[in-house]
Amino acid sequence: MDIKYNLKSASERRTEPFMPEGDVGFGKLRTDHMFLMDYRDGQWCDPRIVPYGPFEMAPGAMSLHYGQSIFEGAKAFMHEDGEIYTFRLNKNAERMNRSADIVCIPNIDEAMQLKGINALIDVDRLWFPQQEGACLYIRPFIFATEDRLSVSPSQKYTFCVMLSPSGAYYASGVNNGIRLLISTQFHRAVSGGTGASKAAGNYAASLRAGKAAVEYGASQVLYLDSTNTQIEEAGAMNHFHILKDGTVIIPTFTDTILKSITSQSIMELGEMLGCEVRQETVMLDKFIADIESGEIIEAGGFGTAAVVSPVNSYIFEDGRVITVGDGKVGPHIQRIYKLFTDLQKGHVAAPQGWVKRVERVAP
Ligand code: PLP
Ligand code: COI
């Protein structure tokens, strides 16, 4: 399908490279345009790039009532040749369709998703933030638009891609680490539910827990399974820990854990990282005992927005605090963070197909 372009006039859009003065933050800024595609009469149609702006939507649009809405998160980076490169975007397109399956949204051809995202980045390439550590954050999402109030899959949807020039997700960044609240009260997902998808409702369900985390001085909740015995993941990142021999352990993916593309990448990089990376069921009691005995020396989270975020401590709902190692960011996490971000920025050659140049295709 060909993409239609309805672009802002030259006087309304950015004409110079974006050189932000202060920290761009995460997810606050927008670029000039967005990519849209609709689903009606049983097919995806009308791919187009239009000025970024509000949607016109019926008050009865089903996503507003029953939450039939999913999203993705990916990043693009500028390499030293001045070109923009996406990072493993095909994995996001693939996962978008897995999320779609889970909440009964019709799949979108992966090649078409990639074509739309690339065309949008191409049009708004001057928005790439020229700032150390910054990137173009890519947010594709799909939401139900049919004006009907029965609880059943919508017959109409919109696929939208927006871009946000962004920096780090956690203000404390990789230099300090964050604290997580281990909650036995709140759960993110249950088996048979939507936990393995990026369904919007999963994030609505995490807000109350997130608020509680802040009250405990933590950045996020580390969720346990419904029996409160196994570690699952945090609200916006997978969890990992590192043993004293350098082995990285990520909880086994189940239908209550999002299959993080960052985690998968770290697992695939095992050899390049120079350590073993494996998945296993992580029991909470053993995890805590191993931190206390020094068997576990570092811990953190993996995610597109979070990148590699060190966790310096955990707090329980009874106020007990467990510090990981000496509470400082350890050498293994620093090494993983450096290799991963070097691959994204093109400082180190990434495995075949991981980084793809955004071609100049705009009319
Ligand atoms: N887990 C959850 C719940 C998330 O929202 C995210 C972010 O997308 C992740 C894990 C990390 O996944 P990825 O590395 O694909 O961004
Ligand atoms: C991402 O890491 O891209 C995400 O989607 C997490 C988001 C909830 C900030």
Side-chain angles (χ1 to χ4, degrees):
M1 264 186 290
D2 288 339
I3 297 171
K4 278 192 233 121
Y5 290 79
N6 167 20
L7 304 183
K8 285 186 173 177
S9 66
S11 62
E12 289 168 325
R13 57 193 280 207
R14 173 165 288 286
T15 50
E16 298 289 332
F18 181 30
M19 310 278 191
E21 275 171 19
D23 179 9
V24 286
F26 175 82
K28 295 182 188 156
L29 301 177
R30 304 285 172 261
T31 65
D32 284 320
H33 299 94
M34 59 186 178
F35 173 82
L36 293 176
M37 195 154 65
D38 298 318
Y39 181 88
R40 56 175 176 265
D41 302 326
Q43 56 185 355
W44 285 102
C45 58
D46 199 11
R48 58 203 186 274
I49 292 179
V50 300
Y52 179 82
F55 297 121
E56 196 170 294
M57 202 160 55
M62 295 172 88
S63 54
L64 299 178
H65 300 264
Y66 309 127
Q68 205 190 4
S69 175
I70 54 177
F71 72 96
E72 267 304 322
K75 283 180 174 173
F77 299 86
M78 188 171 280
H79 288 191
E80 263 148 28
D81 60 3
E83 296 290 328
I84 300 175
Y85 292 78
T86 55
F87 185 76
R88 307 205 79 180
L89 196 54
N90 56 317
K91 301 280 282 180
N92 294 90
E94 191 186 309
R95 190 173 62 190
M96 181 69 107
N97 282 339
R98 295 295 75 76
S99 294
D101 290 342
I102 291 173
V103 295
C104 297
I105 290 176
N107 280 202
I108 304 182
D109 175 53
E110 285 171 28
M112 192 63 224
Q113 294 186 48
L114 300 179
K115 187 173 166 180
I117 297 170
N118 277 280
L120 177 66
I121 298 175
D122 178 34
V123 159
D124 281 348
R125 62 173 63 240
L126 286 174
W127 275 99
F128 189 92
Q130 315 261 333
Q131 184 172 81
E132 177 57 29
C135 67
L136 261 187
Y137 181 75
I138 306 164
R139 171 52 61 89
F141 57 109
I142 308 177
F143 56 99
T145 56
E146 191 186 352
D147 186 354
R148 183 162 58 88
L149 293 183
S150 55
V151 181
S152 60
S154 170
Q155 299 301 311
K156 290 183 185 163
Y157 300 87
T158 294
F159 171 61
C160 176
V161 184
M162 57 190 242
L163 303 174
S164 178
S166 287
Y169 186 66
Y170 294 111
S172 54
V174 76
N175 297 320
N176 300 306
I178 55 171
R179 171 172 288 182
L180 295 180
L181 169 68
I182 297 184
S183 174
T184 53
Q185 196 191 339
F186 299 108
H187 294 95
R188 177 185 167 273
V190 290
S191 185
T194 57
S197 75
K198 282 185 79 74
N202 290 345
Y203 298 82
S206 75
L207 297 178
R208 199 160 53 122
K211 245 170 102 179
V214 170
E215 280 159 21
Y216 280 89
S219 303
Q220 253 187 59
V221 166
L222 176 59
Y223 291 98
L224 305 174
D225 72 326
S226 58
T227 65
N228 287 331
T229 56
Q230 293 173 21
I231 287 181
E232 296 209 315
E233 65 169 328
M237 58 188 192
N238 277 175
H239 186 259
F240 70 88
H241 63 266
I242 304 181
L243 305 181
K244 65 173 186 249
D245 69 0
T247 303
V248 179
I249 302 203
I250 301 168
T252 306
F253 293 141
T254 61
D255 73 344
T256 52
I257 296 180
L258 188 79
K259 213 168 161 190
S260 153
I261 295 162
T262 314
S263 296
Q264 291 174 66
S265 302
I266 299 296
M267 285 189 263
E268 288 169 44
L269 283 176
E271 221 168 84
M272 245 174 129
L273 277 174
C275 61
E276 189 189 346
V277 186
R278 66 166 190 262
Q279 289 193 287
E280 58 185 45
T281 300
V282 179
M283 304 305 293
L284 176 65
D285 285 353
K286 181 160 183 341
F287 175 73
I288 297 300
D290 285 353
I291 291 179
E292 287 175 332
S293 72
E295 178 60 26
I296 291 175
I297 53 170
E298 297 180 42
F302 290 136
T304 297
V307 195
V308 179
S309 289
V311 173
N312 55 37
S313 57
Y314 298 86
I315 184 162
F316 288 90
E317 282 151 337
D318 64 6
R320 188 161 59 114
V321 172
I322 308 283
T323 301
V324 186
D326 60 4
K328 302 215 174 74
V329 181
H332 294 96
I333 288 183
Q334 288 182 36
R335 197 184 67 246
I336 295 171
Y337 178 84
K338 176 148 190 348
L339 176 63
F340 192 70
T341 51
D342 278 351
L343 294 169
Q344 291 180 318
K345 291 187 285 193
H347 296 166
V348 170
Q352 185 69 25
W354 281 24
V355 289
K356 295 231 167 83
R357 194 172 68 204
V358 174
E359 301 299 342
R360 291 166 195 269
V361 292

